[in-house]
Amino acid sequence: MSIQPFVYADINCPFCFVLHERLKQLNLIESVEWRLVEHARSANTQELKYVEILNTEFKAVLDKAPDIEIHNPKLVVNTAVINEIICAVATSFPDKAFNFRDALYRALWVEGKDISDPVVIDQLLIQYDVEEFVYSESSQSQLQIWQADWERSDYEQKVPVMVNNHHSFVTGLQSAETILSFYENKDIKKLDHSSACNLKTHEKAMLLGDSLSAQVISGYLSHGGYELQKTTSVEQLLKDACEQSFSVILIEYELDLEFKLCAELKEQTSSTTPIIYFSDSVSDLIEAQGFSAGMTDMLHVGRQRDSLLGRLGTHVRNKHQLDIISGYATHDPLTGFYNRREIERVLARSWQTACRYKTELTVFIIDVDNLKKYNLKYGYAAGDEALMSISNILASGRSEDIVGRFSGEEFVMILHNTPEKELLKIAKRIQDNVLSRQICYSKTHDSEFVSVSVGIATASADKQFSHTNLLSLAAKALEKAEAQGKNQALKLRLDRI
C-alpha cells in the first residue's frame, strides 16, 4: 500500500534546512509531509558543547550544499515549543502552514535569529496573520506519535529521514538527483551516509573502579541516561580524559588514597570537569584532604544512593554554566570565533610548539575592505550580517586552521605547517568566496561587492623571534596589500626581513 511521502526533521538541524530548500527547488515540498521531531531534546542554546557540534555540522553542510544559502546562527535552538506552534498553526490554518514553517527555517538559518525568542515568533505570527491559532489535543498528540515512531524505528535517531510512498527510507542530506530518484522510486546510484545529524545529548561520564560501590554507581548512571565509560587503569583514565570531553569523572577513593590523580587531571584536562571521588567508608578528614587536593565532591555510596543522581546532576549543570562563562570570556559573541585576547594566547602557544618541533607557522590578517562605508550606508545591523557571512566562509575552511576576530572588521587565522607556495592560493580562495556572496555596497546593477584584503606572515619558528613579531609582520603585509587597492593579498617572510 502506498503512502504520502514524508520527512522526519527538526528545525534546529542544518541538514534538515538544506533538504527543505532542495525539496522547494524540486517543487516537491508541498507534496511531502513534514513531520517535526526533537532530535536533541536537552540541547541548550548557550551550551558551548552543542555550539561546537553545530559548527562541525555547518561546515559539513557547506561542503555538501554550496548552492544553498545558509548562515551559521551560532546557537542551538530547543525546538519543543516551536514544533508545538507549527503543528497548531497547521491545524488552524492549513493553507498558511508551509509559508510559516518556511519563514521560521529562514529566520534561523539565513537571518540568524533566535526563533525560540517569543518576540521573533510573534513577529512571524503577525506577518502571516496566524496569531489566533488554537493549541489542540490532536496536534499535540500528533507530535507525540511522530516522536515515538521516529525514536522506535530503524533510523538510529538521525535527521533528516525521507520516506517515500513505498515505505523505503534514506537518512541524511542527499543530492538533488538522489532525492528526485528516491521520490520517484527509481534506482539510486549513490547514497551519502555521512550527512545526517545524530546529535547525542547524553552526558558522558568516566569511572575508575571495579568494586561493589563502582558497580552500584554504574547502575545509577546507566539508569540516569549517562553515557558511561569505565576503566580500572589509572593510565587509561588519564589518556581518555586528555583525548575526550567528559561531563564528570568519578574515581574510587581506594585506588587513589593520596588524591594524586586529582592533581594530574586538573593539570592535564579542563578545570571545569567535576572530579568526584566515591567510597563506602568516608570520614571528615578524608573529605578535607580531597577538597584540599582539588576534588569537586566525595560520595558516600552506602548513605547517598537516593541523592546520588541529584548530586551528580548539580555538578554537571555547574560545569555547563562555567563553560558558558568561560566561553563569554574567550569568544566573540557575534561570530563565535576566539576574541582578540584568546587568539593571541593561542598564537603564543602555537609559536612555542612550532619552535619545539621546528615547523612552519603562518598568520593571516583578513580585513574587510571599507566596512565602515557599508555600515554608514546600511547601518550596523547590516554590517554585522556582512561580518557573519564572511565568518561563515572562514569557518568552512580547513579544519586545522584557527580563526579569531581581532577587531571590528579584522580576522586572524593561524595556519600550522602549511607549504609557503599554498598560502596565496588559500588567500585567493577566501577572497573569491567572499566576492561570491555578492554583498553589495549599493543596489545598482553595476555595484561593487564587499571584498577582503589579506596580509600574510610566515616563518620557520625560531626562538630568536616571537609570536608578536609574526603578528606585526602580518599587519605590515596587510598595510602593503591595502596600499595596492581592495581585494589584495601580500605575503612576507619573517626570517627574510
Side-chain angles (χ1 to χ4, degrees):
M1 182 178 71
S2 64
I3 58 170
Q4 179 186 3
F6 61 86
V7 170
Y8 284 116
D10 196 344
I11 294 288
N12 70 9
C13 169
F15 298 108
C16 294
F17 169 72
V18 173
L19 175 60
H20 196 268
E21 294 298 293
R22 283 199 169 150
L23 288 172
K24 282 164 57 180
Q25 291 174 348
L26 295 168
N27 294 318
L28 296 176
I29 189 67
E30 297 198 51
S31 62
V32 174
E33 183 181 23
W34 203 259
R35 299 185 177 183
L36 295 165
V37 296
E38 296 174 67
H39 80 299
R41 286 179 180 265
S42 63
N44 185 290
T45 59
Q46 292 181 313
E47 290 188 28
L48 288 178
K49 65 175 181 178
Y50 297 127
V51 175
E52 288 301 316
I53 294 171
L54 171 62
N55 290 340
T56 301
E57 292 188 342
F58 181 74
K59 288 183 180 181
V61 166
L62 291 179
D63 289 339
K64 304 284 184 183
D67 57 311
I68 302 294
E69 181 184 10
I70 180 172
H71 302 271
N72 190 344
K74 305 295 183 182
L75 54 88
V76 178
V77 180
N78 190 314
T79 51
V81 174
I82 298 166
N83 288 353
E84 290 179 1
I85 292 174
I86 293 174
C87 209
V89 169
T91 301
S92 301
F93 301 93
D95 58 321
K96 300 178 180 180
F98 163 70
N99 286 334
F100 180 66
R101 185 184 75 226
D102 184 60
L104 277 169
Y105 261 125
R106 296 191 66 79
L108 177 63
W109 292 108
V110 177
E111 301 168 26
K113 295 180 179 178
D114 181 359
I115 58 173
S116 64
D117 184 341
V119 174
V120 174
I121 295 175
D122 286 345
Q123 287 173 346
L124 289 173
L125 289 170
I126 292 170
Q127 180 181 344
Y128 288 92
D129 194 25
V130 291
E131 59 264 46
E132 296 299 326
F133 66 88
V134 177
Y135 286 102
S136 66
E137 290 186 9
S138 62
S139 65
Q140 303 306 302
S141 175
Q142 185 65 79
L143 282 174
Q144 293 172 7
I145 291 170
W146 288 344
Q147 187 76 27
D149 286 346
W150 172 71
E151 290 178 355
R152 295 170 186 167
S153 297
D154 297 329
Y155 310 136
E156 299 178 348
Q157 297 197 17
K158 296 180 179 180
V159 287
V161 178
M162 287 193 301
V163 181
N164 64 17
N165 58 12
H166 282 200
H167 299 270
S168 298
F169 75 88
V170 293
T171 59
L173 173 62
Q174 307 298 329
S175 67
E177 180 184 4
T178 298
I179 292 171
L180 190 58
S181 296
F182 179 74
Y183 181 82
E184 296 175 349
N185 299 305
K186 296 179 180 178
D187 290 336
I188 298 174
K189 296 179 180 178
K190 184 178 180 181
L191 275 176
D192 185 347
H193 297 285
S194 63
S195 58
C197 178
N198 56 350
L199 175 63
K200 305 299 183 184
T201 59
H202 298 304
E203 304 291 353
K204 286 183 67 175
M206 183 71 186
L207 186 145
L208 173 69
D210 195 30
S211 66
L212 180 59
S213 293
Q215 294 173 31
V216 169
I217 290 180
S218 296
Y220 275 91
L221 290 172
S222 298
H223 180 72
Y226 284 81
E227 182 181 333
L228 180 60
Q229 196 165 315
K230 296 190 291 185
T231 184
T232 57
S233 165
V234 170
E235 291 76 17
Q236 188 65 45
L237 172 64
L238 287 169
K239 180 176 182 295
D240 291 345
C242 290
E243 295 176 353
Q244 303 178 47
S245 176
F246 292 101
S247 299
V248 62
I249 296 174
L250 297 117
I251 300 170
E252 188 172 337
Y253 166 65
E254 284 73 17
L255 298 180
D256 185 26
L257 296 173
E258 297 181 0
F259 300 99
K260 292 181 179 179
L261 185 53
C262 180
E264 288 188 69
L265 286 168
K266 286 287 184 181
E267 183 179 341
Q268 297 184 32
T269 64
S270 168
S271 59
T272 64
T273 302
I275 300 173
I276 300 175
Y277 283 73
F278 63 89
S279 177
D280 251 341
S281 177
V282 179
S283 68
D284 289 345
L285 179 59
I286 291 173
E287 284 192 280
Q289 291 172 345
F291 285 124
S292 296
M295 77 174 186
T296 307
D297 198 0
M298 177 165 274
L299 302 177
H300 190 302
V301 179
R303 193 177 69 239
Q304 297 171 342
R305 292 191 184 193
D306 291 341
S307 63
L308 193 147
L309 283 177
R311 295 167 73 96
L312 290 180
T314 298
H315 291 305
V316 169
R317 285 191 295 273
N318 288 340
K319 170 190 162 40
H320 294 329
Q321 291 298 320
L322 288 171
D323 287 342
I324 292 169
I325 294 169
S326 175
Y328 289 150
T330 59
H331 289 70
D332 171 57
L334 177 66
T335 64
F337 291 153
Y338 286 132
N339 59 24
R340 179 168 185 154
R341 182 178 64 178
E342 187 65 11
I343 197 67
E344 287 186 338
R345 189 186 68 81
V346 171
L347 178 58
R349 190 173 65 236
S350 297
W351 181 265
Q352 291 173 355
T353 302
C355 285
R356 185 180 307 122
Y357 295 104
K358 304 296 182 185
T359 56
E360 293 277 315
L361 189 66
T362 301
V363 167
F364 282 22
I365 298 183
I366 302 161
D367 184 56
V368 184
D369 296 321
N370 295 336
L371 184 66
K372 290 183 176 65
K373 170 184 171 183
Y374 190 86
N375 285 337
L376 288 172
K377 188 173 183 65
Y378 299 112
Y380 284 94
D384 284 348
E385 289 182 13
L387 285 171
M388 281 292 294
S389 182
I390 293 169
S391 71
N392 286 336
I393 292 169
L394 299 179
S396 65
R398 307 185 314 170
S399 59
E400 63 268 30
D401 298 337
I402 303 168
V403 186
R405 187 181 180 192
F406 208 56
S407 64
E409 62 270 10
E410 282 187 349
F411 299 90
V412 167
M413 181 181 293
I414 303 171
L415 299 84
H416 294 86
N417 214 21
T418 304
E420 188 171 356
K421 64 181 181 180
E422 297 295 321
L423 298 178
L424 287 173
K425 294 179 184 177
I426 294 171
K428 181 67 163 56
R429 186 161 59 245
I430 291 171
Q431 292 173 315
D432 289 346
N433 287 338
V434 170
L435 286 175
S436 72
R437 292 294 175 102
Q438 297 191 351
I439 305 167
C440 298
Y441 282 112
S442 68
K443 303 304 180 185
T444 60
H445 293 297
D446 59 346
S447 171
E448 58 180 338
F449 300 120
V450 170
S451 59
V452 296
S453 294
V454 186
I456 305 168
T458 188
S460 179
D462 190 292
K463 290 183 179 180
Q464 67 173 308
F465 297 111
S466 71
H467 71 282
T468 57
N469 296 130
L470 192 65
L471 196 57
S472 296
L473 187 63
K476 183 177 180 180
L478 176 64
E479 183 181 351
K480 290 186 174 183
E482 291 179 326
Q484 299 173 9
K486 291 182 293 185
N487 199 39
Q488 300 294 316
L490 190 140
K491 173 174 63 68
L492 297 175
R493 189 167 182 87
L494 184 60
D495 55 8
R496 292 177 186 166
I497 61 173

